[in-house]
Amino acid sequence: MSASDELIKTTVNEIEKILNTKTVVGEPTTIEGNTIIPLISIGFAFGAGAGTGKNKDVGEGEGGGGGGGGGVKPVAVVVINKDGFHIESIKSGMASVIEKAVDKGPEMVDRMRGKKTEEK
């Protein structure tokens, strides 16, 4: 296996480790009888390359490299309780899902019970 093949294989294996259902659908949390499940959007990119060459003064050589980046953005929470379920969108990508769910928890509970909440 060439250096570039090994580099790409290693990179893909590491990415596969983070891409699973627990990454996109978070661990359920129960708050006041409501089970809250965070939904997360994941984006990533990577690249890898390698090569060999000859230089009459230096001789033969080879090299390779790789890099990547990614991000995680909360997009919604699923709220499940005795009355059914509800999906609450998270508009701010900067807040964590759990923080947003806790902040919106009382409002979501009131909505599910048919009550109108006052604007803050």
Side-chain angles (χ1 to χ4, degrees):
M1 185 177 289
S2 72
S4 62
D5 290 341
E6 186 63 33
L7 182 60
I8 291 170
K9 181 180 177 184
T10 301
T11 304
V12 170
N13 285 340
E14 291 302 313
I15 289 170
E16 285 178 338
K17 288 179 185 177
I18 64 167
L19 294 179
N20 61 53
T21 56
K22 285 187 177 181
T23 306
V24 177
V25 179
E27 292 292 325
T29 302
T30 301
I31 301 171
E32 297 180 7
N34 296 285
T35 300
I36 299 171
I37 304 169
L39 302 177
I40 302 161
S41 172
I42 298 174
F44 69 93
F46 74 94
T52 60
K54 294 182 182 182
N55 181 311
K56 65 180 179 174
D57 297 330
V58 181
E60 293 185 25
E62 66 178 58
V72 177
K73 177 179 146 185
V75 293
V77 293
V78 177
V79 181
I80 304 169
N81 63 21
K82 63 181 171 109
D83 299 324
F85 75 94
H86 173 72
I87 298 175
E88 184 71 30
S89 176
I90 296 176
K91 293 175 178 55
S92 171
M94 300 304 288
S96 76
V97 172
I98 298 302
E99 286 175 15
K100 204 60 159 164
V102 169
D103 290 345
K104 288 189 158 270
E107 178 184 348
M108 289 187 294
V109 171
D110 287 343
R111 273 192 207 170
M112 286 183 263
R113 291 183 182 157
K115 296 179 183 177
K116 292 184 180 179
T117 59
E118 293 180 7
E119 294 289 326
K120 291 185 180 182

